Amino acid sequence: MTGQTKRVEWVDTLKYICIMWVMLSHLESKTGFLKTFYNPFFLNGFFFSSGYVYFHKDEFKQFFAKKIRGLFVPWLIFSVFNILLSQLISFNNHSSLLDELKWNFFQIRGKGDGIWFVAALFVAFIPFYFFIDKYEKSQKKLKDNILFIIVTLSLALISSLYGKYMNPNLLPWGTYNLPWHIEYIFIAMFWMFMGYMFRNEYEKMYDKNVNAISAIIVFLFYIILQYAPYLTGSYILNGFISIIYSYIVSFLGVFVLIYLCKKITPNKYMLYIGQNTLICFALHGKIYSILQTILKKTVGLLYAAILANTFASSIFAIVFTIILSLILIFPIFIINRWFPFLIGRKRS
């Protein structure tokens, strides 16, 4: 999703892992057990990687043109394509063409925004640009770094508080979400800034000091903090404390994810999917709908029995997601080979 010429393998590995969880999260067979595991890091990891590969070298005009070409245009093409296709080939109930187009252009989360992440990333990049521009003009001493981190975290916390306490009945569409994901962009910008700071300030320190033992310890803390409420059914934290708790768990998850991706030796399949997450995000939904319909019509009773069992459903979801990613290789190849402008790339 970045358009960077020189690839960083561990970042592509991270994006591969995150997009696999994204696709799994949309399956009918998802379970609360799996969601509890991946929920704190799978989207934050994407935003982190977007900040990591960002290089602040263009004037805003050139920067904005690149984001229009690399994010807005792909969002526009794929979102409208999916809507038109759903009018011709639909396996679920849907609204009229005009209604779907209207909600797509409003981009309100949960209201027909199938490719919302690309739109949210595009919008988040705008304040991110000016924030990084301000940071690059600072002295970049430790106190400056801490100040900028505090500012981005504060904005993210304010956004999280808005999502927690905003009365959805005050808005005509009945949710607290705002057009073009405005309520989410500062959360995204915080993780993007973390990625940017990690590459420029802290990656060498991380590589030098983090080893397998420390990564395992952090992972165990992550599992305990994330699964204790799930297994006990006791969610004693609420209000602002629960928001802080969620950020701490997300930090731990991203921390371990980085270490894992730096240690994995990825194969060509993983890198290929990781380099083409935008296409996967845009097209996996329709392919999944087709496969799901086939399963229901051919082995409906068995399919229902698998979904009813937590363990079987979890295993099925993982296997199904891998199969889905393998199928996506074909449209990925076609788009990169003959229609690269769809994703803001030049023909290679």
Side-chain angles (χ1 to χ4, degrees), residues 132-141 144-145 148:
I132 294 298
D133 190 63
K134 187 73 173 177
Y135 171 73
E136 287 295 329
K137 292 176 181 176
S138 72
Q139 295 181 0
K140 299 189 203 177
K141 295 181 179 180
D144 296 314
N145 294 348
F148 276 87

Side-chain angles (χ1 to χ4, degrees), residues 163-178:
K164 194 170 187 66
Y165 292 109
M166 171 65 180
N167 184 354
N169 296 321
L170 295 178
L171 297 176
W173 44 83
T175 71
Y176 70 85
N177 304 98
L178 298 173

Side-chain angles (χ1 to χ4, degrees), residues 28-34 230 301-318:
E28 188 178 30
S29 56
K30 65 184 179 183
T31 68
F33 184 82
L34 281 178
Y230 174 81
L301 293 177
L302 176 61
Y303 182 58
I306 290 174
L307 298 185
N309 181 279
T310 299
F311 178 77
S313 179
S314 299
I315 298 300
F316 174 80
I318 294 171

Side-chain angles (χ1 to χ4, degrees), residues 18-290:
C18 290
I19 195 63
M20 296 297 280
W21 288 121
V22 167
M23 293 191 291
L24 187 146
S25 72
H26 294 156
L27 300 183
E28 188 178 30
S29 56
K30 65 184 179 183
T31 68
F33 184 82
L34 281 178
K35 185 176 181 180
T36 299
F37 176 75
Y38 63 73
N39 197 53
F41 65 80
F42 77 123
L43 288 179
N44 294 331
F46 268 125
F47 289 120
F48 183 93
S49 67
S50 296
Y52 181 92
V53 300
Y54 174 76
F55 289 88
H56 193 70
K57 57 184 179 180
D58 296 320
E59 295 296 325
F60 181 74
K61 182 178 180 180
Q62 290 76 28
F63 161 83
F64 191 67
K66 288 181 179 179
K67 296 309 170 189
I68 288 286
R69 184 173 65 250
L71 290 173
F72 182 82
V73 171
W75 164 81
L76 179 63
I77 292 173
F78 283 116
S79 63
V80 173
F81 170 78
N82 281 340
I83 290 172
L84 294 176
L85 190 60
S86 70
Q87 297 292 319
L88 300 174
I89 307 173
S90 180
F91 303 101
N92 302 296
N93 295 327
H94 59 83
S95 303
S96 67
L97 175 61
L98 289 179
D99 277 343
E100 290 195 349
L101 288 173
K102 176 190 74 174
W103 287 114
N104 183 56
F105 286 109
F106 271 130
Q107 277 300 294
I108 297 171
R109 189 77 180 100
K111 298 288 184 179
D113 57 333
I115 313 180
W116 75 272
F117 179 84
V118 181
L121 182 60
F122 168 74
V123 177
F125 256 118
I126 296 174
F128 176 75
Y129 172 88
F130 291 105
F131 195 82
I132 294 298
D133 190 63
K134 187 73 173 177
Y135 171 73
E136 287 295 329
K137 292 176 181 176
S138 72
Q139 295 181 0
K140 299 189 203 177
K141 295 181 179 180
L142 179 60
K143 63 178 182 179
D144 296 314
N145 294 348
I146 294 174
L147 175 63
F148 276 87
I149 291 173
I150 290 174
V151 171
T152 53
L153 179 59
S154 300
L155 291 172
L157 290 174
I158 291 171
S159 296
S160 297
L161 286 169
Y162 167 84
K164 194 170 187 66
Y165 292 109
M166 171 65 180
N167 184 354
N169 296 321
L170 295 178
L171 297 176
W173 44 83
T175 71
Y176 70 85
N177 304 98
L178 298 173
W180 282 89
H181 316 290
I182 294 174
E183 80 286 351
Y184 192 76
I185 59 175
F186 288 116
I187 299 173
M189 190 182 80
F190 167 71
W191 288 104
M192 292 163 71
F193 186 65
M194 291 298 98
Y196 186 85
M197 289 289 288
F198 181 76
R199 189 195 76 229
N200 288 280
E201 302 290 340
Y202 302 118
E203 186 170 13
K204 291 182 180 179
M205 184 189 307
Y206 181 96
D207 292 339
K208 181 179 179 180
N209 294 287
V210 178
N211 53 37
I213 295 176
S214 58
I216 290 172
I217 292 173
V218 172
F219 179 69
L220 290 176
F221 271 107
Y222 172 81
I223 292 297
I224 292 170
L225 292 176
Q226 189 63 2
Y227 276 99
Y230 174 81
L231 294 175
T232 62
S234 175
Y235 293 86
I236 60 175
L237 298 177
N238 51 52
F240 184 70
I241 299 299
S242 67
I243 294 176
I244 297 296
Y245 186 90
S246 69
Y247 275 84
I248 292 173
V249 175
S250 295
F251 261 113
L252 297 178
V254 172
F255 181 96
V256 177
L257 181 63
I258 293 170
Y259 180 82
L260 178 66
C261 293
K262 281 177 170 285
K263 294 302 178 181
I264 288 177
T265 301
N267 54 38
K268 291 182 179 180
Y269 150 73
M270 295 171 63
L271 294 176
Y272 196 60
I273 296 297
Q275 293 166 11
N276 292 279
T277 52
L278 192 155
I279 300 174
C280 293
F281 193 90
L283 298 182
H284 78 275
K286 185 58 67 178
I287 297 175
Y288 160 61
S289 295
I290 295 172

Side-chain angles (χ1 to χ4, degrees), residues 315-327:
I315 298 300
F316 174 80
I318 294 171
V319 173
F320 193 93
T321 302
I322 294 173
I323 294 172
L324 188 58
S325 70
L326 292 172
I327 295 174

